[in-house]
Amino acid sequence: MIGPGLDGPALDALMAVALDEARAALAHGDVPIGAVVARVADGTVVARRHNEREARADPTAHAELLAIRDAAAAVGASRLDGHVLVSTLEPCPMCAGAALLARVDGVVFGAADPKAGALGSLYHLGADPRLNHEMTVAPGLRAEECGALLATFFADRR
């Protein structure tokens, strides 16, 4: 559990929104990854985005980074204390770093990323005592569904 307002059903609902966002990425040929930033107190979605790397020709246009940017703009602050990031895929070092810099309370993700995951697979930036912020990390929410979406996307590309 991330906070008092985010129990299992609430997190599942947020992951459903992230999965909808991931599917939206398919419309422009992007890898289907979706992300949501929500308030911990009540689960209200503050921002929701999907990958736009191909659509924008921008290597930094990851779903998580775009959602964090939108959430910061929506709350009018660079710090997102009291918020959670929900992503269909384990964040990469760039996105995990952005979550740390934004001071989110936690990150929930679906599928692990053994090639680039930075919240448990290759690194664990969320629990590194050398950094000035730690955050709760909850892996594996709807992991099979999130992983299947990615597997289908890449299988169709081959």
Side-chain angles (χ1 to χ4, degrees), residues 65 68 78-81 85 91-107 118-119 123-137:
L65 192 60
I68 289 168
S78 64
R79 293 190 178 203
L80 297 173
D81 309 90
L85 172 66
C92 70
M94 176 182 68
C95 295
L100 280 168
L101 292 172
R103 305 292 196 270
V104 298
D105 289 1
V107 176
L119 290 178
Y123 313 100
H124 199 322
L125 295 179
D128 189 329
R130 298 169 295 178
L131 300 173
N132 64 349
H133 178 67
E134 291 185 25
M135 57 193 170
T136 301
V137 176

Side-chain angles (χ1 to χ4, degrees), residues 34-109:
V36 172
V37 175
R39 285 197 308 251
V40 170
D42 59 9
T44 300
V45 173
V46 177
R48 55 185 286 173
R49 294 297 289 268
H50 56 270
N51 268 9
E52 295 184 19
R53 290 177 54 186
E54 301 304 320
R56 293 176 177 232
D58 178 354
T60 69
H62 290 202
E64 302 94 334
L65 192 60
L66 297 173
I68 289 168
R69 286 178 181 163
D70 287 356
V75 302
S78 64
R79 293 190 178 203
L80 297 173
D81 309 90
H83 292 80
V84 63
L85 172 66
V86 178
S87 178
T88 58
L89 183 67
E90 179 182 359
C92 70
M94 176 182 68
C95 295
L100 280 168
L101 292 172
R103 305 292 196 270
V104 298
D105 289 1
V107 176
V108 177
F109 65 85

Side-chain angles (χ1 to χ4, degrees), residues 33 88-93 109-124 139-140 143 146-148 150-151 154 158:
I33 299 169
T88 58
L89 183 67
E90 179 182 359
C92 70
F109 65 85
D113 186 353
K115 293 182 180 179
L119 290 178
S121 290
L122 291 179
Y123 313 100
H124 199 322
C146 295
L150 289 162
F154 287 113
R158 291 184 181 118

